[in-house]
């Protein structure tokens, strides 16, 4: 299993009135993890789209464990947990650097679409990279 990690620092604009990372930002962190995971494999989203391969999110789930705050450095871990004919599921873990607390975890499911935005089988080269 390939686990990819990136780090990001919580910016002030990502927090709510209580100084805690606003919950919707975790889906943005998940997206950061997915896009960098694919880029690290040599297949950035921009290249996929040039080839008329699209990956919309069809399902997302996030479970919050402990709060993250302004200026925390977060480690976003991403890996493929399920690969099917035309879908892929990524698991995500967000860990605070320093105390290694699990902040949040979840998954995103994506469907493979063709140029007509219709479901299609995942290209073999992509499937091989994701395995």
């Amino acid at each position: 299993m390939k686990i990819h990690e990136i780090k990001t620092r919580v910016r002030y604009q990502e927090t709510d009135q209580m100084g805690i990372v606003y919950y919707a930002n975790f889906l943005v962190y998940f997206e950061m993890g997915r896009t960098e995971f694919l880029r690290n494999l040599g297949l950035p989203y921009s290249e996929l789209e040039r080839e008329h391969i699209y990956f919309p999110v069809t399902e997302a789930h996030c479970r919050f464990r402990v709060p993250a705050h302004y200026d925390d450095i977060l480690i976003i871990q991403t890996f493929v947990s399920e690969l099917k004919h035309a879908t892929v599921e990524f698991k995500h873990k967000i860990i605070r650097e320093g105390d290694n607390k699990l902040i949040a975890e979840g998954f995103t499911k994506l469907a493979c679409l063709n140029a007509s935005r219709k479901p299609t089988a995942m290209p073999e080269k992509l499937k091989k990279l994701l395995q």
Side-chain angles (χ1 to χ4, degrees):
M1 170 182 9
K2 301 171 192 170
I3 298 176
H4 187 261
E5 287 188 356
I6 61 169
K7 292 182 183 182
T8 189
R9 184 180 298 275
V10 175
R11 298 172 297 173
Y12 186 77
Q13 69 209 38
E14 296 168 343
T15 63
D16 61 18
Q17 189 175 7
M18 296 176 289
I20 296 171
V21 172
Y22 182 67
Y23 74 93
N25 285 312
F26 287 93
L27 294 178
V28 174
Y29 296 153
F30 288 0
E31 181 182 5
M32 291 167 58
R34 275 193 324 273
T35 56
E36 293 306 314
F37 180 94
L38 289 171
R39 185 182 315 282
N40 188 59
L41 292 178
L43 229 101
Y45 264 46
S46 56
E47 184 177 323
L48 290 171
E49 290 179 351
R50 274 194 299 278
E51 295 180 22
H52 304 290
I53 300 167
Y54 302 96
F55 274 111
V57 173
T58 60
E59 187 177 345
H61 174 78
C62 186
R63 178 158 183 168
F64 306 99
R65 300 295 185 169
V66 298
H69 301 90
Y70 171 69
D71 216 29
D72 283 350
I73 295 176
L74 303 179
I75 301 165
I76 304 166
Q77 296 179 338
T78 304
F79 60 94
V80 174
S81 57
E82 185 176 81
L83 186 59
K84 292 187 175 177
H85 179 70
T87 62
V88 60
E89 179 181 278
F90 290 93
K91 289 270 175 116
H92 309 277
K93 288 186 178 184
I94 299 178
I95 298 162
R96 182 174 27 243
E97 187 176 71
D99 64 6
N100 292 319
K101 291 264 188 189
L102 178 62
I103 302 296
E105 59 187 333
F107 68 86
T108 50
K109 286 187 182 181
L110 291 80
C112 187
L113 303 182
N114 62 21
S116 302
R117 308 298 202 274
K118 301 288 184 201
T120 190
M122 197 172 305
E124 275 306 308
K125 73 174 187 175
L126 179 57
K127 207 170 196 175
K128 283 183 182 180
L129 285 173
L130 293 173
Q131 290 177 331

